[in-house]
Amino acid sequence: MTFAMQRQHGDRPRAFILPLANAGEAALVEDAVIYPARTLLEVCAHFSNLPDAPRLARHPGQACAPSPGYPDFAEVKGQQRAKRALEVAAAGSHSVLLVGPPGAGKSMLASCFPGLLPPMSDAEALESAAVQSIAGSFSAARWRRRPFRSPHHTTSGVALVGGGNLPRPGEVSLAHHGVLFLDELTEFDRRVLEVLREPLETGQITISRAAHQADFPARFQLLAAMNPCPCGWLGHASGKCRCTGEVVQRYQDRISGPLLDRIDIQLPVAAVSPDQIGAQPDGEPSRDIAERVARAHALQLHRQGKPNGRLSAGEIERHCHRDRAGEQLLRNAMQHMHWSARAYHRVLKVARTIADLAAQADIESPHIAEAIQYRRMLHGG
Ligand SMILES: [Zn+2]
């Protein structure tokens, strides 16, 4: 069953009689009253005037699902820089690319990420549930949990972006208001990756087939991981990498400039050696980080009605006030690293989130300096 119900404030709660199998899903809508029925006879009896006819019983409503228990950052030793970057990404809904050798812990860091995400609004939860429901994959146990989708790189283009004779949502839509995690990013079909540019920009995807066209929401947060070169050891102290410059370039070029340009945070993740791991203190629990993320997220909704990652160029000028030193720092970096105007704006949005995590009204140069650190990868930004 699919449903699309707007909350109407001031109206009396609406009542629905629904098949038993769909009642639990519909009961998630806060101000709707649901009467599950097994047969049409039960419905007839409910409305009959006979004094002893059995009436339908009201659905008790849905309790909040228990926490799904994601892996915790406390279990990840070291990797302070990567954890901090993921905290910033969660707080501002910024897209992230982790680049590092095999075994550096990129997948582990990614699997902890959903445990940091800010709470969903009612409207987001309903939209997300509706998309899952169209695809037949809704589960009440996932209610109010931001989806975390991690399709394998062998997943077909249709399964990833949506399609089919009767168009159905793909992974990008199932990740609506949640996270799309693409591990081994360079192994995905390049044409499929290019399709991601549209939803990253607009928050929706248009599926065109000969007979018809369908739009699906696809406002996902992209989290991706890749090796720096074909062997994976480029830049490692061991000097194991034997890839030539040309081979590395060809490998990194699998991610096009325009796609990379849309990734706010690009972060190297170094391997932690076994003797280093022993010396590391225990990590901060995800719960504590998630509290800071939720506070920074609430600040953004209050100021501008959306997370910083979704600010348009005009909104950036309105909401990203920076001091003179910060502006100078940013201009220097832009010149030095040959950034596009788009890259400049992305750094400002990330700096806005860093300032929000520090509960600062204006962006200061340390915030900008940190944001610049998150954009020094691959094609040079
Ligand atoms: Zn290599």
Side-chain angles (χ1 to χ4, degrees), residues 29-54:
V29 182
E30 218 172 78
D31 49 5
V33 176
I34 307 298
Y35 293 96
R38 266 174 303 230
T39 63
L40 279 176
L41 275 178
E42 283 186 356
V43 180
C44 295
H46 183 76
F47 288 113
S48 81
N49 290 325
L50 297 173
D52 52 352

Side-chain angles (χ1 to χ4, degrees), residues 229-234 241-243:
C229 67
C231 82
W233 295 100
L234 181 71
C241 174
R242 291 278 175 272
C243 304

Side-chain angles (χ1 to χ4, degrees), residues 168-208:
R168 285 165 72 84
E171 291 289 337
V172 296
S173 297
L174 294 172
H176 186 53
H177 291 313
V179 175
L180 181 69
F181 175 46
L182 302 183
D183 202 1
E184 311 278 2
L185 187 66
T186 48
E187 302 303 318
F188 281 81
D189 184 333
R190 187 174 169 150
R191 285 162 307 176
V192 173
L193 290 185
E194 288 308 298
V195 175
L196 296 182
R197 282 159 55 182
E198 180 197 339
L200 279 172
E201 214 50 40
T202 64
Q204 66 170 31
I205 187 135
T206 303
I207 316 284
S208 297

Side-chain angles (χ1 to χ4, degrees), residues 252-275:
Q252 297 192 352
D253 280 349
R254 291 191 204 168
I255 314 301
S256 76
L259 175 61
L260 200 60
D261 215 24
R262 285 166 174 78
I263 301 181
D264 294 348
I265 295 179
Q266 301 168 17
L267 190 80
V269 180
V272 184
S273 66
D275 45 313

